[in-house]
Amino acid sequence: MKAPLPRSTRPRRRRLVQGAVALLVAAAVPALTTATADGAGGGSPRAARNVILLIGDGMGDSEITLARDYTVGAGGRLHMDRFPSTGTYTTYSVDSQGRPDYVTDSAASASAWATGHKTVNGRISKTPGTDTALPTILELARAKGLATGSVTTAELTDATPAAMAAHATDRDCQGPADMELCPRDTIARGGPGSIAEQSVRLRPDVLLGGGRQRFDQKITQGPYRGMTVAQQAEKLGYRVVTDARGLRTAAPGRPLLGLFAPGAVPVEWTGRPAAAGGTEPQRCVTANPARPAGTPTLGQQTAKALELLTAGARAGGADRGFFLQVEGASIDKQGHEADPCGQIGETAAFDRAVKVARDYADRHPGTLVITTADHGHSSQIVPLDATPPGLSSTLVTDEGSRLKVSYSTTTTPEDGQEHTGTQVRIAAQGPYAERVQGVTDQTELFTTITEALRLR
Ligand SMILES: [Zn+2]
């Protein structure tokens, strides 16, 4: 089937009919008209069959560097360092008047790439002023018949997955019992209900993560009243699994809801958090006693999601492709806790999910893989003799060197560390990968993905 004309070619076409001057200018600089970012030249760029979008929450350049230094060495390379196309993008959010808010939260940030529009911090895929729902990539992909999925180490109702599958005035409106800040979103008021209810009603093929506590809440309004959200999901056809074994044995043919923890999925690594005045030099513990055996890793979740989406996209004979978002959520959460080992372990776990995605793309040409972050975080690598005003810790790396990391966005550490407003890395391979080069804004990621998948 012939793909519709991609949006990217439309402005070029309009320019060409603007008159002789424009034509002469275009003729005088043929290199400019052929060397467009999408490599289109005079024709349409090749569409992507599948898109895998991997988000390291709170994974700024500083957090990437810290994980690289500790796990593979200063001169080593992570899997996320190996993409052929790399750029940076800006992440600021806006206030209700549309003026910049220079430090975004995960809700506004995820809404920006999910919908192509900036919004206020705390909002889930709705406008900043009028609080109106905006269509998301996952909804557009679903409407076009693509297989769709969302994977996270956070609660499935947390900001990043929520922005793809739901619309809410406030990110805290995660389950039916959490609707205090979203009176207009309640089913009783004609709204769509909580983020958990909306996520299962949209019915992506794969929803994997934490947050079982939200799905165990009772629905109090509407046609599913009296059921839990997990029961609503089963009514809508979902198989519900809660551990690695259930995940492994889930077969294609039914949508899958995996709820692997009551809250966020427990982190993989542990160590001493940063402290005022620093810590003794420490090695990270590459295990977490509080992580139940049978908790799937982000890489395992990603691999299973890709298996099911591949089958789902091919169901019925056609290959319609898929869209999958994967979030490594606790890079951010451990940053807030000023816990460098927890943070590095989650970055390493995310990097293994990146490898799963890249290996998949090697076997399935036409897959666009993008890795980026939603905002930077508080960790800074500082000289060993530095005396940071906040919290710090000294790590002994695999290379045998000492590395000092500072968390100093606040002088009242009990409040937790903060995000930063830095630009973050975006890297890609596959069709449309060139679009991430240079300096872009995260709203352009929406355009890149929707054009690559011909969703508009
Ligand atoms: Zn955060």
Side-chain angles (χ1 to χ4, degrees):
M1 193 179 74
K2 176 115 174 63
L5 183 68
R7 264 177 80 87
S8 61
T9 63
R10 288 180 206 154
R12 197 176 307 125
R13 185 157 290 190
R14 275 202 297 276
R15 279 201 302 275
L16 288 175
V17 296
Q18 272 171 356
V21 174
L23 284 169
L24 283 170
V25 170
V29 284
L32 280 178
T33 59
T34 52
T36 51
D38 57 27
S44 304
R46 184 165 55 100
R49 178 190 305 272
N50 314 307
V51 172
I52 307 170
L53 173 62
L54 300 117
I55 305 296
D57 199 304
M59 192 183 72
D61 279 347
S62 186
E63 286 71 35
I64 294 173
T65 309
L66 181 58
R68 184 193 303 117
D69 285 349
Y70 191 88
T71 61
V72 295
R77 290 293 176 264
L78 299 165
H79 298 292
M80 70 177 87
D81 294 331
R82 300 175 192 276
F83 287 92
S85 273
T86 301
T88 56
Y89 79 10
T90 50
T91 66
Y92 64 93
S93 53
V94 292
D95 66 14
S96 58
Q97 315 296 312
R99 289 174 303 220
D101 183 339
Y102 297 107
V103 184
T104 190
D105 82 327
S106 296
S109 186
S111 297
W113 74 73
T115 71
H117 295 272
K118 289 188 180 290
T119 193
V120 292
N121 286 352
R123 186 79 36 96
I124 300 290
S125 291
K126 293 175 94 175
T127 55
T130 56
D131 196 28
T132 306
L134 295 158
T136 74
I137 293 172
L138 198 146
E139 288 170 334
L140 294 169
R142 179 100 180 75
K144 196 154 179 242
L146 274 68
T148 52
S150 179
V151 172
T152 182
T153 52
E155 299 189 54
L156 268 167
T157 49
D158 202 5
T160 308
M164 276 296 169
H167 307 272
T169 305
D170 192 278
R171 60 183 289 171
D172 284 349
C173 302
Q174 298 187 55
D178 307 321
M179 294 301 287
E180 202 177 325
L181 296 175
C182 306
R184 294 199 316 134
D185 294 331
T186 59
I187 290 171
R189 294 273 299 270
S194 69
I195 291 166
E197 292 161 271
Q198 292 184 59
S199 300
V200 298
R201 197 178 329 113
L202 179 60
R203 211 167 163 276
D205 301 86
V206 179
L207 286 172
L208 304 177
R212 199 162 57 233
Q213 59 181 338
R214 313 290 178 181
F215 292 81
D216 284 344
Q217 291 180 10
K218 273 242 164 69
I219 299 166
T220 54
Q221 299 162 354
Y224 298 98
R225 187 178 164 175
M227 288 184 185
T228 66
V229 184
Q231 288 166 339
Q232 176 190 5
E234 284 172 334
K235 195 100 183 159
L236 293 169
Y238 276 95
R239 180 197 320 270
V240 181
V241 299
T242 56
D243 58 17
R245 211 177 84 90
L247 179 68
R248 209 167 39 243
T249 54
R254 275 175 74 181
L256 181 66
L257 173 61
L259 298 167
F260 304 118
V265 177
V267 300
E268 299 204 5
W269 289 16
T270 47
R272 282 192 295 281
T279 63
E280 288 298 305
Q282 62 168 327
R283 292 279 295 158
C284 294
V285 179
T286 58
N288 177 7
R291 184 181 164 94
T295 305
T297 65
L298 186 61
Q300 288 167 341
Q301 291 187 56
T302 303
K304 187 67 184 191
L306 290 170
E307 175 198 323
L308 295 177
L309 292 176
T310 305
R314 287 181 185 153
D319 189 353
R320 296 178 302 275
F322 64 77
F323 170 74
L324 172 64
Q325 178 172 282
V326 176
E327 183 201 20
S330 291
I331 304 165
D332 168 81
K333 296 183 194 310
Q334 296 300 294
H336 285 297
E337 301 288 318
D339 186 331
C341 289
Q343 180 188 316
I344 292 168
E346 292 306 288
T347 314
F350 175 74
D351 197 48
R352 286 191 288 276
V354 170
K355 181 179 189 321
V356 169
R358 280 171 52 81
D359 287 350
Y360 180 90
D362 285 347
R363 299 191 307 272
H364 299 83
T367 301
L368 169 62
V369 183
I370 303 169
T371 299
T372 188
D374 54 354
H375 52 75
H377 221 295
S378 44
S379 58
Q380 287 291 324
I381 302 163
V382 297
L384 294 174
D385 60 359
T387 53
L391 309 178
S392 62
S393 176
T394 300
L395 306 178
V396 180
T397 68
D398 286 355
E399 298 176 296
S401 294
R402 292 182 178 192
L403 181 159
K404 191 166 190 173
V405 53
S406 156
Y407 294 85
S408 297
T409 57
T410 174
T411 52
T412 49
E414 55 278 11
D415 296 343
Q417 301 296 316
E418 301 274 13
H419 302 170
T420 62
T422 182
Q423 62 190 21
V424 297
R425 180 200 285 186
I426 178 167
Q429 67 178 63
Y432 281 74
E434 299 85 352
R435 287 285 186 92
V436 308
Q437 291 174 7
V439 180
T440 57
D441 182 79
Q442 60 181 173
T443 50
E444 293 172 59
L445 180 52
F446 171 84
T447 313
T448 298
I449 294 175
T450 52
E451 289 184 7
L453 288 173
R454 306 289 194 261
L455 298 182
R456 296 184 301 163

